[in-house]
Amino acid sequence: MPFGYAAIMELRHVRYFAAVAEQLSVTRAAQLLHVSQPALSRQIRDLEEELGVELLERYPNSIALTEAGKVFLAECKVILRRVEDAVEKVRRKSPSHRSILRIGFAATPAVELLKQAMRVFHKQHPSIQIELKDLSSNGIVRGVRDLKLDLGITIGVAPQSFEGLAMKELGSYGVTVAFPKEHRFAKLKQVPLAEVAKEGLITFTKSEHPEAHSAIRKILSGFTEEPNIVMECDGISSLFAAVESGKGVAIGFETMAKLAGSRLNFRPVLPAPPRLPVVVIYDQAKLSSAGTDFLAILAAVKLKSLRPAAGLLIV
């Protein structure tokens, strides 16, 4: 590192680089940071010039970390964690401080659970603030690993992704197919998977939601060797919009209907595949007492459509 650089490097440079390095996408990092993509790219270039090393390998459609970039990312995480710890310690000294419980969630599996659990938790702990973050499955895992989240509620079809973290199964939901109002499936009470396999499929991005692709492949394994995925979406809102526009159909949790409202039609599929599991993940060694209480409430929530986690789809 050039002499004197530490005196002029700002914390935002560390945050900016960490976001780009973790997302491996300037576009996604810019959205998370609420800055323009050109400005973020310029900041990373300036950082590389000041350090005198290349942190990123740039390709036409992707970026990757150099060896120096990997080392710098590890150090950036340490710095940011220390800053967060310092801020939390200072806040705890304030008479007006309110404890915060940070929960990351995937909207479709968590839509019913969170509403019920939060209602109970607020009655028991009115002084504790809950901070919710709607994230991708990979974003949830990263958040829990980096201690930016206390708990993460997500789909559990690939439990190997949670290595090193504690995982508790909360239950399971049936599989459904979503399609536009005018679609041929609208005349059916149940949709044969053989017919679903003939359709163009819309799902989430493989880079951030790899388990969605694995689940689709498993569900349709007896009907097609390679599902016809025609579009990938960043989130549930864009997925609903794509299905509504007629670009394809979507396979997922039966609770999708609670989020979409009347915009789309939903039907169970036939034969019914193993139910999709909902899990909560956390760092056992670092979980606060508030997190432990919320975990217990989640495990106790009883919903008609949420069945015990048995016979689950594991891929």
Side-chain angles (χ1 to χ4, degrees):
M1 183 179 291
F3 177 77
Y5 181 72
I8 62 173
M9 183 169 63
E10 299 179 18
L11 185 59
R12 63 187 171 89
H13 292 119
V14 175
R15 294 190 188 279
Y16 286 0
F17 173 73
V20 172
E22 288 177 343
Q23 295 293 320
L24 289 179
S25 167
V26 176
T27 301
R28 287 197 296 271
Q31 292 171 346
L32 289 172
L33 295 166
H34 303 291
V35 299
S36 70
Q37 185 174 335
L40 182 56
S41 296
R42 187 169 59 253
Q43 291 286 340
I44 301 300
R45 288 284 191 187
D46 291 345
L47 179 60
E48 289 176 316
E49 289 179 8
E50 292 290 347
L51 289 172
V53 296
E54 287 191 353
L55 301 171
L56 301 174
E57 293 179 353
R58 295 166 174 86
Y59 304 101
N61 297 312
S62 64
I63 59 175
L65 289 173
T66 64
E67 288 304 311
K70 293 176 183 178
V71 172
F72 193 61
L73 174 59
E75 296 300 320
C76 286
K77 287 183 176 180
V78 172
I79 293 169
L80 292 174
R81 191 170 298 166
R82 289 292 300 274
V83 170
E84 289 175 0
D85 288 345
V87 170
E88 184 63 20
K89 287 178 180 177
V90 170
R91 284 176 174 169
R92 286 175 182 170
K93 295 297 182 180
S94 170
S96 61
H97 169 71
R98 295 184 68 190
S99 296
I100 298 176
L101 183 64
R102 301 160 301 177
I103 301 174
F105 68 97
T108 311
V111 59
E112 289 187 313
L113 281 164
L114 271 178
K115 179 175 66 175
Q116 299 281 12
M118 287 177 63
R119 184 179 296 124
V120 175
F121 185 83
H122 281 311
K123 288 181 179 178
Q124 296 180 2
H125 303 279
S127 64
I128 298 179
Q129 178 182 340
I130 295 180
E131 186 177 281
L132 296 177
K133 295 189 177 183
D134 185 352
L135 300 168
S136 68
S137 55
N138 277 3
I140 291 170
V141 174
R142 284 195 300 268
V144 175
R145 289 193 191 283
D146 295 343
L147 303 181
K148 294 179 180 177
L149 297 174
D150 299 293
L151 300 169
I153 304 172
T154 185
I155 182 173
V157 298
Q160 62 271 19
S161 302
F162 312 140
E163 185 177 356
L165 299 174
M167 181 190 79
K168 182 184 289 291
E169 294 178 354
L170 299 173
S172 64
Y173 286 115
V175 177
T176 190
V177 60
F179 51 89
K181 293 284 189 178
E182 66 278 6
H183 196 277
R184 64 189 179 94
F185 290 169
K187 299 178 181 179
L188 304 175
K189 291 184 178 180
Q190 292 180 304
V191 180
L193 282 174
E195 294 301 312
V196 176
K198 298 175 184 178
E199 296 287 323
L201 299 172
I202 300 171
T203 187
F204 299 110
T205 54
K206 190 173 184 179
S207 60
E208 285 298 298
H209 303 265
E211 79 297 325
H213 289 250
S214 298
I216 288 173
R217 218 171 250 107
K218 185 74 172 180
I219 290 168
L220 297 179
S221 61
F223 306 94
T224 179
E225 292 184 3
E226 188 60 37
N228 180 26
I229 295 176
V230 296
M231 187 173 181
E232 295 183 0
C233 302
D234 290 332
I236 193 68
S237 296
S238 55
L239 183 143
F240 286 157
V243 173
E244 189 176 19
S245 69
K247 295 185 183 297
V249 304
I251 298 173
F253 286 85
E254 60 187 286
T255 46
M256 286 197 301
K258 294 183 178 295
L259 294 170
S262 61
R263 296 169 58 187
L264 303 172
N265 279 342
F266 296 85
R267 296 288 188 276
V269 295
L270 189 69
R275 295 167 66 83
L276 295 170
V278 184
V279 302
V280 56
I281 59 174
Y282 51 97
D283 187 323
Q284 181 70 65
K286 302 293 179 64
L287 191 62
S288 65
S289 58
T292 301
D293 288 350
F294 197 89
L295 187 63
I297 293 170
L298 278 174
V301 168
K302 304 296 182 184
L303 300 170
K304 289 182 179 179
S305 54
L306 184 72
R307 296 183 187 171
L312 304 180
L313 177 69
I314 304 296
V315 296

